[in-house]
């Protein structure tokens, strides 16, 4: 029996591993990530899998097929969180996948392919400012210059890996070759309101929107808040405020675009000092790459214009970009069938959020199943799903796995 009750209890259990008392924040390679990952490895082993921590800190497990060494169907999602996160974003997919393997194992069933489950160590990119580190390492697309990236405390990623007990030089060894992975399937909460609005527990994802991320630093002159007249100031934060609104305007110019300034910092950061420096991030997403690229160009030119008008200097760094990732028509059709067999009305929908499948798309076909979440709320501690919807999700995932055997 698949147990949605156990799935939700395990999500609760992982949520105990947080750097934030009374909330959930668990970033890549933190002590809390280590504890959560070890717990997941234990559940993977209980489900009959060979499981170990890989070279980048993913929990990686394998359930052999009818004979050892067969190519695998890979299932997974991530174990890291945003700051002040919900308990299901990422974790639900990993735990539901383990539940499916546990079900097969208890029936002593082996399929004509292996199943691998991965709990990726980093999808959110909170610690080092660049996302999908765990899944890009598995896809073999991680540029190792990222090892020099630093977290806000100044620790490099290479040092963080060593502190976690890992050897950064071994990361290339976990890259999978094309052909070893038959497909990648990920169950994830929807993180939006569409399924709830239509009274549906699950939906099949068509594509994952692309994203571009910038870090912008404006520099003016710090000064005394009481003595410098307004017309003689070079206030970097006031300039940043104009850039935030310009970003919003550009994002509002097309219904398919979204744009967010999610972080802003003023330095030196005192009530009586004119901010001499301001740093902010920009995150732009769209279902079409041309639209996103045009929006990013417009935002950059507006930032330059604001800087010029206010006599500020500006530095714009491109942190990361990822094109739209389409789900495989062949796998979507198989997921559609699983949804219908389990008695749900079929609904296909795109994903506005990023997912590990974007990285895995470099080496294999991908597909995703969304599970309804309450109020469409995510990246928020109020994120919640019902036991009934968790059950619907895991049943469809198991059905997909069982029939993948027949249809490959
Ligand atoms: C990940 O959750 C993202 O879409 O930012
Ligand atoms: Mn997320
Ligand atoms: Mn996620």
């Amino acid at each position: 029996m698949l147990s949605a009750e156990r799935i939700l209890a395990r999500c609760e259990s992982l949520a105990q591993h947080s750097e934030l008392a009374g909330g959930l924040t668990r970033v890549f390679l933190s002590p809390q990530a280590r504890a959560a990952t070890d717990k997941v490895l234990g559940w993977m082993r209980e489900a009959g899998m060979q499981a170990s921590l890989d070279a980048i800190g993913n929990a990686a497990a394998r359930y052999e097929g009818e004979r050892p060494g067969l190519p695998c169907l890979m299932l997974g999602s991530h174990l890291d969180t945003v700051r002040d996160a919900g308990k299901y974003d990422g974790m639900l997919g990993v735990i539901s996948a383990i539940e499916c393997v546990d079900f097969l194992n208890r029936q002593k069933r082996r399929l004509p392919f292996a199943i691998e489950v991965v709990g990726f160590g980093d999808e959110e990119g909170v610690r080092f400012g660049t996302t999908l580190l765990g899944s890009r390492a598995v896809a073999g697309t991680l540029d190792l210059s990222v090892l020099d990236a630093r977290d806000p405390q100044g620790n490099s990623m290479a040092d963080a890996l060593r502190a976690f007990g890992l050897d950064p030089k071994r990361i290339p060894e976990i890259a999978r070759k094309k052909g070893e992975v038959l497909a990648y399937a990920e169950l994830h909460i929807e993180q939006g309101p569409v399924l709830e609005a239509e009274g549906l527990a699950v939906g099949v994802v068509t594509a994952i929107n692309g994203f571009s991320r910038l870090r912008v630093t404006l520099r003016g002159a710090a000064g005394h808040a009481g003595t410098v007249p307004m017309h003689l100031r070079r206030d970097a934060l006031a300039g940043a405020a104009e850039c935030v609104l310009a970003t919003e305007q550009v994002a509002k110019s097309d219904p398919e675009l979204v744009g967010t300034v999610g972080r802003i910092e003023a330095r030196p950061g005192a009530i009586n000092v004119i901010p001499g420096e301001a740093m902010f991030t920009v995150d732009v997403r769209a279902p079409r790459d041309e639209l996103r690229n045009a929006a990013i160009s417009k935002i950059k030119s507006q930032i330059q214009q604001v800087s010029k008008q206010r006599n500020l200097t500006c530095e714009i760094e491109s942190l990361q970009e990822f094109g739209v990732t389409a789900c495989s028509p062949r796998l979507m059709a198989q997921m559609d069938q699983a949804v219908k067999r389990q008695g749900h009305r079929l609904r296909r929908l795109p994903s506005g959020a990023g997912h590990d499948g974007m990285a895995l798309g470099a080496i294999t076909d991908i597909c995703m199943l969304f599970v309804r979440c309450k109020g469409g709320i995510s990246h928020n501690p109020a994120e919640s799903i019902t036991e009934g919807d968790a059950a619907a999700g895991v049943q469809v995932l198991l059905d997909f796995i069982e029939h993948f055997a027949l249809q490959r």
Side-chain angles (χ1 to χ4, degrees):
M1 272 276 290
L2 295 168
S3 169
E5 190 184 346
R6 176 161 76 164
I7 290 171
L8 295 191
R10 287 181 166 180
C11 289
E12 287 293 333
S13 168
L14 291 183
Q16 304 310 309
H17 301 290
S18 169
E19 70 185 56
L20 191 79
L24 173 55
T25 299
R26 188 172 60 242
V27 301
F28 184 41
L29 301 176
S30 59
Q32 298 78 20
R34 185 56 194 253
T37 306
D38 285 345
K39 207 175 243 185
V40 168
L41 288 168
W43 294 334
M44 288 167 155
R45 291 183 189 116
E46 280 171 27
M49 310 182 85
Q50 294 282 345
S52 56
L53 189 71
D54 75 12
I56 198 155
N58 299 322
R62 183 170 165 97
Y63 181 72
E64 292 292 352
E66 284 162 351
R67 49 177 204 282
L70 289 170
C72 72
L73 168 63
M74 186 179 280
L75 310 171
S77 195
H78 57 99
L79 297 174
D80 66 324
T81 74
V82 291
R83 298 206 172 279
D84 208 11
K87 299 169 187 152
Y88 307 99
D89 172 6
M91 285 69 78
L92 184 72
V94 181
I95 294 168
S96 297
I98 296 171
E99 191 69 22
C100 290
V101 176
D102 183 64
F103 178 87
L104 296 170
N105 185 48
R106 273 188 281 135
Q107 297 194 342
K108 301 199 179 348
R109 276 174 65 197
R110 298 282 165 177
L111 302 175
F113 49 86
I115 299 176
E116 296 196 11
V117 179
V118 189
F120 293 106
D122 173 275
E123 184 267 353
E124 302 285 8
V126 170
R127 183 163 181 188
F128 294 104
T130 166
T131 67
L132 301 165
L133 295 168
S135 41
R136 281 192 286 149
V138 169
T141 53
L142 188 69
D143 178 347
L144 291 185
S145 63
V146 73
L147 292 170
D148 298 326
R150 294 195 178 262
D151 66 10
Q153 286 71 44
N155 306 299
S156 72
M157 184 172 144
D159 286 343
L161 283 160
R162 283 188 280 266
F164 208 72
L166 299 168
D167 177 358
K169 286 201 288 303
R170 304 200 70 164
I171 289 174
E173 293 172 18
I174 66 168
R176 305 305 295 267
K177 291 186 198 63
K178 280 196 175 137
E180 286 178 357
V181 183
L182 299 168
Y184 174 76
E186 177 167 349
L187 177 152
H188 201 284
I189 56 163
E190 181 201 348
Q191 306 182 274
V194 174
L195 295 175
E196 185 176 76
E198 298 190 15
L200 294 170
V202 292
V204 176
V205 177
T206 51
I208 308 172
N209 287 358
F211 67 82
S212 298
R213 289 180 169 179
L214 307 176
R215 176 167 42 218
V216 182
T217 309
L218 301 184
R219 294 189 181 86
H224 198 293
T227 61
V228 185
M230 295 309 285
H231 70 285
L232 294 178
R233 294 183 179 204
R234 294 172 61 221
D235 182 331
L237 184 59
E242 255 191 76
C243 296
V244 174
L245 295 179
T247 300
E248 188 184 47
Q249 276 312 111
V250 172
K252 279 181 165 173
S253 67
D254 189 301
E256 287 190 316
L257 269 176
V258 288
T260 308
V261 174
R263 259 186 84 195
I264 187 160
E265 282 166 19
R267 296 187 195 104
I271 192 167
N272 56 353
V273 183
I274 300 162
E277 188 174 299
M279 186 287 296
F280 60 95
T281 57
V282 177
D283 175 308
V284 172
R285 311 201 190 193
R288 288 184 293 120
D289 292 338
E290 326 76 73
L291 180 64
R292 175 174 48 84
N293 290 334
I296 280 288
S297 303
K298 212 180 280 177
I299 289 169
K300 283 181 177 170
S301 87
Q302 300 221 5
I303 292 170
Q304 276 149 356
Q305 212 174 307
V306 167
S307 306
K308 201 163 161 214
Q309 280 162 0
R310 291 177 163 269
N311 194 18
L312 305 170
T313 62
C314 79
E315 187 186 338
I316 305 178
E317 285 167 86
S318 177
L319 291 179
Q320 197 175 7
E321 51 184 304
F322 233 105
V324 174
T325 304
C327 293
S328 143
R330 169 182 75 94
L331 297 176
M332 279 192 287
Q334 293 185 36
M335 194 64 89
D336 289 351
Q337 293 306 316
V339 165
K340 288 196 237 168
R341 275 190 300 265
Q342 291 300 315
H344 306 283
R345 179 162 68 75
L346 178 61
R347 173 66 153 102
R348 285 185 169 188
L349 71 172
S351 172
H355 297 288
D356 294 292
M358 300 178 98
L360 272 302
I363 52 161
T364 193
D365 287 346
I366 70 150
C367 66
M368 291 192 72
L369 179 72
F370 272 172
V371 177
R372 166 170 56 191
C373 61
K374 188 161 177 265
I377 295 170
S378 185
H379 283 189
N380 182 316
E383 190 178 276
S384 110
I385 67 165
T386 65
E387 194 174 309
D389 288 352
V394 73
Q395 281 156 5
V396 173
L397 183 64
L398 178 65
D399 187 308
F400 169 83
I401 295 167
E402 289 175 320
H403 289 82
F404 185 74
L406 304 174
Q407 293 186 16
R408 185 164 57 89

